[in-house]
């Protein structure tokens, strides 16, 4: 067993070669089919979610309870992780600690090799996507089969997920039919002759294709939505039944789970099993909620391995503002209300975590050194809709502003378990200069007053658009008109509005 305790170095994976968010989104916003697919799907999901949430009179209390449970757990994460390890081990499981993506993949590959198997079935897992486990297994000669319907579509289409809950949200039924017809035969049972794009036929084609894999596979790989420190229980919630098959039929089960997914007690699940399904799928409860505790003779897998993944989470935990992103329960509600995500889609975020939560989580897990991660905190209008729907009250706009400050100004941070001082990112010199000028003006009232009066008296000479770097701002926004009189002059002249301004 290998162990990496909180506070020990946890190297970040290599930065992905993705372009910046504006560059990646430019093509997406001109893709009419993509935008229609996203608009239809996100509007449908969020309307149903709103209705499901409105059924609960105590939703605000549940939201606050979820926030407090998560915050308490994060403050004492070291203690609860050790308790979880003890509980899992006592129940017959084996715990492995992975500092980064490379170590987690090595552990899983070696565990599969020890079984002598060359293929595995997988439950939908963002943690395994984060560490690029499928690629690592393929390099080792092990074939991984995704069994979630949307993940199957993505895998067959040699695509990338674009949504947390619905990875193939960018595909319509016609595209899915074409993928099934062309690719299913290369991975196993081919699509039925004459397959149409009706949902029932597509689902049946996927069911037939996957059934033989479920019955043949001896190794299953999963993530987990929650881990209970008190009992060593892992929980997976899903809506198709494929997870239940992967968790119970194979002889060996390997679960890769981020360290932030732990909750202290069994009772804590009560809150999240109410808020997660309503926020994610607009259901009162998940159709399939699978729980397992270690191993039991004659029931389920004979061997269970839990790989606890850090991969930048300890570094994120060190930031008092940014750590709230670790509360996330992956419901995807923030994606469905985000105007930026609706227009740009998930691929533009260059991460397995798209949308508002990805814009705050990815730069913290990976750092802000790469072009894509330095641009993600700006992939938002700061409208606050994401905060309003978050079932654990993550103030995403607050974290975005914090990360923007880090990108522009640099400053203290924790990287690989060590306190460092980050240098400002390239390309923000004008922004830094503007902010420093504003800081000087606001700390010199006389200069601020003179500048305001000068701006008012010359307002008819002001351009409609800004020059230079400011042009990117005014290309999509109207430049605010300067009033004829500064507010502080009006306030003084009217005695705070008590006298007639005439």
């Amino acid at each position: 067993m290998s162990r990496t305790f909180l506070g020990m170095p946890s190297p970040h994976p290599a930065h992905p070669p993705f372009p910046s968010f504006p560059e990646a989104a430019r093509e997406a916003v001109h893709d009419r089919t993509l935008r229609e697919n996203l608009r239809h799907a996100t509007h449908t999901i969020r309307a149903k979610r709103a209705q499901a949430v409105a059924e609960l009179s105590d939703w605000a209390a549940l939201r606050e309870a979820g926030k407090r449970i998560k915050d308490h757990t994060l403050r004492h994460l070291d203690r609860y992780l050790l308790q979880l390890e003890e509980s899992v081990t006592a129940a017959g499981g084996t715990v492995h600690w992975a500092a980064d993506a490379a170590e987690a993949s090595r552990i899983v590959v070696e565990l599969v090799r020890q079984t002598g198997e060359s293929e595995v079935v997988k439950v939908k897992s963002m943690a395994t996507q984060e560490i690029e486990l499928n690629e690592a297994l393929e390099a080792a000669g092990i074939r991984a089969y995704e069994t979630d319907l949307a993940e199957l579509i993505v895998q067959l289409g040699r695509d990338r997920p674009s949504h947390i809950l619905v990875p193939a949200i960018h595909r319509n039924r016609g595209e899915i039919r074409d993928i099934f017809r062309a690719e299913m035969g290369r991975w196993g049972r081919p699509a039925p002759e004459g397959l149409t794009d009706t949902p029932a036929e597509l689902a049946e084609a996927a069911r037939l294709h996957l059934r033989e894999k479920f019955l043949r596979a001896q190794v299953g790989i999963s993530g987990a939505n929650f881990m209970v420190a008190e009992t060593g229980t892992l929980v997976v919630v899903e809506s198709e039944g494929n997870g239940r098959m992967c968790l119970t039929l194979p002889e060996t089960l390997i679960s890769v789970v981020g360290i932030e997914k732990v909750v202290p007690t069994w009772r804590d699940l009560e809150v999240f099993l109410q808020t997660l399904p309503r926020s994610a799928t607009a259901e009162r409860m998940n159709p399939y909620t699978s729980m397992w505790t270690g191993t039991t003779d004659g029931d389920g897998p004979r061997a269970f391995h839990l790989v606890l993944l850090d991969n930048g989470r300890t570094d994120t935990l060190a930031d008092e503002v940014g750590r709230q992103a670790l509360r996330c329960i992956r419901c995807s509600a923030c994606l469905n209300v985000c105007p930026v995500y609706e227009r740009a889609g998930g691929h533009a975020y260059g991460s397995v975590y798209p949308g508002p939560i990805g814009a705050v989580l990815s730069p913290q897990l990976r750092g802000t050194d790469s072009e894509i991660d330095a641009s993600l905190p700006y992939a938002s209008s700061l409208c606050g809709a994401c905060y309003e729907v978050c079932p654990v009250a993550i103030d995403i706009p607050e974290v975005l502003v914090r990360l923007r400050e880090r990108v522009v100004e640099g400053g203290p941070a924790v990287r690989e378990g060590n306190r460092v001082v980050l240098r400002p990112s390239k390309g923000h010199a004008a922004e830094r200069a503007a902010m420093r000028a504003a800081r000087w003006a606001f700390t010199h009232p006389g200069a601020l007053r003179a500048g305001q009066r000068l701006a008012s008296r010359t307002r008819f000479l002001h351009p409609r658009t800004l020059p230079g770097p400011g042009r990117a701002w005014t290309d999509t926004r109207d430049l605010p008109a300067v009033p004829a009189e500064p507010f502080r002059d009006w306030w003084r002249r009217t005695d705070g509005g008590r006298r007639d301004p005439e």
Side-chain angles (χ1 to χ4, degrees):
M1 179 188 303
S2 61
R3 175 182 292 174
T4 300
F5 288 96
L6 296 179
M8 296 294 287
S10 56
H12 296 268
H15 293 305
F18 290 110
S20 68
F21 180 85
E23 184 179 345
R26 189 171 293 113
E27 181 178 351
V29 297
H30 291 98
D31 186 332
R32 183 174 179 179
T33 300
L34 173 65
R35 291 189 61 173
E36 288 178 353
N37 293 347
L38 289 171
R39 177 178 173 79
H40 172 74
T42 56
H43 283 237
T44 299
I45 295 171
R46 76 191 194 197
K48 291 181 178 179
R49 176 202 174 275
Q51 184 177 359
V53 167
E55 294 178 353
L56 295 182
S57 60
D58 62 345
W59 178 260
L62 285 169
R63 185 178 191 238
E64 179 64 21
K67 172 187 175 181
R68 292 189 179 190
I69 291 169
K70 282 288 189 177
D71 282 347
H72 168 80
T73 307
L74 292 172
R75 283 196 301 271
H76 305 283
L77 190 55
D78 52 350
R79 171 159 60 92
Y80 287 121
L81 286 173
L82 292 177
Q83 182 183 9
L84 175 70
E85 180 185 35
E86 293 174 359
S87 299
V88 171
T89 303
T94 303
V95 177
H96 309 262
W97 298 72
D100 58 15
E103 184 175 8
S105 292
R106 285 197 302 269
I107 291 170
V108 176
V109 168
E110 182 57 31
L111 290 173
V112 177
R113 280 176 171 165
Q114 289 174 9
T115 68
E117 297 294 323
S118 60
E119 62 181 26
V120 301
V121 288
K122 291 183 66 215
V123 187
K124 179 179 181 294
S125 164
M126 303 201 73
T128 60
Q129 293 170 8
E130 176 187 331
I131 66 173
E132 299 183 344
L133 180 59
N134 285 10
E135 290 79 359
L137 290 170
E138 183 179 2
I142 301 166
R143 198 162 199 184
Y145 297 110
E146 297 289 351
T147 64
D148 174 84
L149 177 56
E151 291 287 358
L152 173 65
I153 295 166
V154 169
Q155 186 176 50
L156 293 179
R158 297 178 180 84
D159 204 348
R160 290 187 293 118
S162 63
H163 192 277
I164 290 176
L165 180 66
V166 194
I169 195 172
H170 56 290
R171 298 289 194 182
N172 59 38
R173 294 185 307 183
E175 292 172 314
I176 295 169
R177 176 203 58 208
D178 294 342
I179 290 172
F180 280 9
R181 285 176 173 177
E183 301 296 334
M184 271 188 168
R186 301 182 185 181
W187 289 77
R189 180 168 179 156
E193 290 291 333
L195 178 67
T196 71
D197 64 356
T198 61
E201 287 196 28
L202 294 174
E204 180 65 13
R207 185 180 296 113
L208 294 172
H209 177 80
L210 292 171
R211 178 68 58 169
E212 62 178 17
K213 294 178 171 51
F214 288 136
L215 297 177
R216 184 178 68 234
Q218 296 299 302
V219 180
I221 296 178
S222 80
N225 295 95
F226 307 102
M227 304 180 290
V228 183
E230 178 183 47
T231 60
T233 302
L234 273 72
V235 183
V236 163
V237 296
E238 41 108 8
S239 58
E240 298 173 16
N242 64 295
R244 183 70 55 84
M245 302 285 276
C246 292
L247 296 169
T248 56
L249 292 180
E251 293 291 308
T252 299
L253 175 60
I254 304 168
S255 299
V256 182
V257 191
I259 55 176
E260 81 282 12
K261 294 298 186 69
V262 66
V263 295
T265 69
W266 181 268
R267 186 174 182 178
D268 293 326
L269 291 176
E270 173 191 1
V271 173
F272 300 111
L273 293 183
Q274 293 184 74
T275 56
L276 177 56
R278 289 177 186 269
S279 276
T281 56
E283 295 169 302
R284 297 181 179 90
M285 65 180 292
N286 287 94
Y288 295 90
T289 300
S290 300
M291 304 182 183
W292 69 98
T293 307
T295 59
T296 302
D297 290 341
D299 184 12
R302 295 181 181 180
F304 168 57
H305 297 271
L306 171 60
V307 181
L308 291 172
L309 177 68
D310 188 327
N311 204 39
R313 287 160 174 79
T314 299
D315 292 349
T316 304
L317 188 65
D319 189 308
E320 293 184 359
V321 175
R323 71 173 59 155
Q324 60 185 296
L326 296 178
R327 291 186 209 143
C328 179
I329 57 176
R330 309 292 192 265
C331 71
S332 76
C334 61
L335 280 70
N336 300 324
V337 299
C338 178
V340 177
Y341 174 84
E342 181 185 322
R343 288 157 179 79
H347 292 158
Y349 292 82
S351 168
V352 66
Y353 304 110
I357 188 60
V360 296
L361 188 58
S362 298
Q364 294 191 90
L365 295 181
R366 303 189 305 207
T368 54
D369 298 332
S370 68
E371 189 176 7
I372 180 64
D373 289 317
S375 68
L376 284 179
Y378 295 88
S380 170
S381 64
L382 298 181
C383 68
C386 50
Y387 170 65
E388 294 299 325
V389 299
C390 178
V392 286
I394 301 172
D395 193 342
I396 292 178
E398 179 186 31
V399 184
L400 286 167
V401 172
R402 170 64 167 244
L403 290 172
R404 291 181 184 186
E405 178 186 9
R406 180 178 296 176
V407 169
V408 175
E409 297 288 348
V414 175
R415 289 288 183 85
E416 300 180 5
N418 300 309
R419 294 194 178 278
V420 298
V421 177
L422 301 178
R423 299 182 63 182
S425 298
K426 296 179 180 179
H428 294 274
E431 187 175 351
R432 283 194 296 273
M435 290 300 103
R436 288 168 185 168
R439 181 170 58 191
W440 183 88
F442 285 126
T443 54
H444 294 76
L448 178 62
R449 186 180 301 111
Q452 289 174 331
R453 288 173 176 170
L454 178 63
S456 292
R457 291 169 184 172
T458 61
R459 66 186 186 279
F460 296 113
L461 303 176
H462 295 176
R464 293 181 177 272
T465 60
L466 293 175
R471 184 172 181 178
W473 196 86
T474 53
D475 277 347
T476 54
R477 302 170 180 85
D478 292 330
L479 193 63
V482 176
E485 181 181 25
F487 173 77
R488 53 174 71 197
D489 287 356
W490 174 88
W491 184 266
R492 184 180 297 106
R493 182 169 58 80
T494 63
D495 191 18
R498 286 187 288 270
R499 292 204 308 262
D500 186 347
E502 299 299 330

